[in-house]
Short mmCIF file of all heavy atoms in Angstrom, two decimals:
data_model
loop_
_atom_site.label_atom_id
_atom_site.label_comp_id
_atom_site.label_asym_id
_atom_site.label_seq_id
_atom_site.Cartn_x
_atom_site.Cartn_y
_atom_site.Cartn_z
N ASP A 32 92.76 89.82 131.53
CA ASP A 32 93.55 88.60 131.50
C ASP A 32 92.76 87.36 131.21
O ASP A 32 93.09 86.53 130.37
CB ASP A 32 94.33 88.43 132.85
CG ASP A 32 95.54 89.40 132.99
OD1 ASP A 32 95.74 90.09 132.00
OD2 ASP A 32 96.19 89.30 134.01
N SER A 46 102.25 89.16 130.28
CA SER A 46 103.17 90.24 130.73
C SER A 46 104.15 90.69 129.69
O SER A 46 105.00 91.54 129.93
CB SER A 46 103.85 89.73 132.03
OG SER A 46 104.65 88.48 131.71
N GLN A 49 102.72 93.83 124.21
CA GLN A 49 101.60 93.45 123.37
C GLN A 49 101.69 94.22 122.02
O GLN A 49 101.71 95.42 122.08
CB GLN A 49 100.29 93.80 124.16
CG GLN A 49 100.11 93.03 125.43
CD GLN A 49 100.09 91.51 125.30
OE1 GLN A 49 99.33 90.94 124.40
NE2 GLN A 49 100.92 90.77 126.03
N GLY A 64 94.97 88.60 99.76
CA GLY A 64 94.78 87.22 99.94
C GLY A 64 95.99 86.46 100.55
O GLY A 64 95.81 85.37 101.14
N MET A 139 96.11 100.40 101.99
CA MET A 139 97.29 101.05 102.48
C MET A 139 97.05 102.45 103.07
O MET A 139 97.43 102.73 104.13
CB MET A 139 98.39 101.08 101.39
CG MET A 139 99.68 101.66 101.85
SD MET A 139 100.48 100.94 103.25
CE MET A 139 101.23 99.43 102.51
N ILE A 151 100.68 104.62 118.22
CA ILE A 151 101.62 103.89 119.02
C ILE A 151 102.80 103.53 118.15
O ILE A 151 102.63 103.54 116.92
CB ILE A 151 100.97 102.55 119.64
CG1 ILE A 151 100.46 101.69 118.53
CG2 ILE A 151 99.94 102.92 120.67
CD1 ILE A 151 99.84 100.29 119.00
N CYS A 198 97.00 88.25 85.97
CA CYS A 198 97.21 88.23 87.48
C CYS A 198 97.77 86.85 87.89
O CYS A 198 97.01 86.06 88.47
CB CYS A 198 95.93 88.58 88.29
SG CYS A 198 95.37 90.24 87.96
N GLY A 226 113.92 99.47 102.14
CA GLY A 226 114.01 98.47 101.08
C GLY A 226 112.80 97.59 100.97
O GLY A 226 112.73 96.68 100.11
N TYR A 253 109.75 99.89 123.62
CA TYR A 253 110.51 100.31 124.75
C TYR A 253 111.15 101.68 124.54
O TYR A 253 111.91 102.23 125.34
CB TYR A 253 111.57 99.36 125.11
CG TYR A 253 111.01 98.06 125.76
CD1 TYR A 253 110.90 96.89 124.99
CD2 TYR A 253 110.58 97.97 127.08
CE1 TYR A 253 110.44 95.72 125.51
CE2 TYR A 253 110.02 96.83 127.62
CZ TYR A 253 109.97 95.71 126.81
OH TYR A 253 109.47 94.56 127.35
N PRO A 317 102.30 102.32 84.45
CA PRO A 317 101.78 102.52 83.13
C PRO A 317 102.51 103.48 82.25
O PRO A 317 102.36 103.42 81.04
CB PRO A 317 100.35 102.93 83.43
CG PRO A 317 100.42 103.64 84.69
CD PRO A 317 101.46 102.95 85.49
N THR A 325 110.08 94.76 88.83
CA THR A 325 111.38 95.22 88.56
C THR A 325 111.94 96.33 89.44
O THR A 325 113.13 96.58 89.59
CB THR A 325 111.61 95.62 87.05
OG1 THR A 325 110.68 96.70 86.82
CG2 THR A 325 111.23 94.48 86.13
N THR A 351 113.32 102.63 112.01
CA THR A 351 114.53 101.87 112.42
C THR A 351 115.14 102.44 113.71
O THR A 351 116.03 101.82 114.30
CB THR A 351 115.62 101.86 111.34
OG1 THR A 351 116.12 103.20 111.12
CG2 THR A 351 115.10 101.27 110.03
N ALA A 398 117.37 111.52 83.36
CA ALA A 398 115.99 111.38 83.71
C ALA A 398 115.11 111.24 82.52
O ALA A 398 115.36 111.77 81.41
CB ALA A 398 115.56 112.57 84.50
N PHE A 429 98.92 119.15 75.55
CA PHE A 429 99.43 120.00 76.57
C PHE A 429 98.87 121.42 76.50
O PHE A 429 98.81 122.15 77.45
CB PHE A 429 100.99 120.06 76.51
CG PHE A 429 101.64 118.99 77.33
CD1 PHE A 429 101.14 117.69 77.32
CD2 PHE A 429 102.75 119.26 78.10
CE1 PHE A 429 101.79 116.74 78.13
CE2 PHE A 429 103.33 118.31 78.89
CZ PHE A 429 102.91 117.04 78.89
N LYS A 430 98.56 121.84 75.19
CA LYS A 430 97.99 123.18 75.06
C LYS A 430 96.89 123.04 74.00
O LYS A 430 97.23 122.68 72.81
CB LYS A 430 99.05 124.20 74.66
CG LYS A 430 98.55 125.60 74.63
CD LYS A 430 99.73 126.60 74.52
CE LYS A 430 99.20 128.06 74.69
NZ LYS A 430 100.31 128.99 74.69
N PRO A 437 79.45 117.85 77.68
CA PRO A 437 79.21 117.39 79.04
C PRO A 437 78.24 116.19 79.15
O PRO A 437 77.26 116.11 78.38
CB PRO A 437 78.56 118.65 79.64
CG PRO A 437 78.00 119.42 78.52
CD PRO A 437 78.77 119.10 77.35
N PHE A 460 83.24 115.89 79.29
CA PHE A 460 83.05 116.07 80.70
C PHE A 460 82.27 114.93 81.32
O PHE A 460 81.21 114.56 80.77
CB PHE A 460 82.31 117.38 81.04
CG PHE A 460 83.17 118.60 80.83
CD1 PHE A 460 83.46 119.19 79.66
CD2 PHE A 460 83.75 119.16 82.01
CE1 PHE A 460 84.18 120.32 79.50
CE2 PHE A 460 84.56 120.29 81.88
CZ PHE A 460 84.76 120.89 80.61
N VAL A 516 78.25 118.58 92.37
CA VAL A 516 77.19 118.52 93.27
C VAL A 516 77.16 119.74 94.19
O VAL A 516 76.14 120.14 94.72
CB VAL A 516 77.17 117.23 94.09
CG1 VAL A 516 78.25 117.34 95.17
CG2 VAL A 516 75.83 116.84 94.64
N GLY A 518 77.80 122.70 93.10
CA GLY A 518 77.64 123.85 92.21
C GLY A 518 78.91 124.45 91.66
O GLY A 518 78.94 125.56 91.27
N THR A 550 85.66 137.42 76.62
CA THR A 550 86.57 137.84 77.61
C THR A 550 86.28 137.13 78.94
O THR A 550 85.19 136.56 79.17
CB THR A 550 86.50 139.37 77.85
OG1 THR A 550 85.19 139.62 78.41
CG2 THR A 550 86.72 140.11 76.59
N ALA A 591 89.35 114.54 100.22
CA ALA A 591 88.03 113.83 100.34
C ALA A 591 87.94 112.98 101.64
O ALA A 591 87.25 112.00 101.76
CB ALA A 591 87.73 112.92 99.19
#
Side-chain angles (χ1 to χ4, degrees):
D32 283 2
S46 59
Q49 300 298 309
M139 181 57 79
I151 55 177
C198 297
Y253 290 104
T325 60
T351 64
F429 270 44
K430 189 169 186 176
F460 284 81
V516 79
T550 66

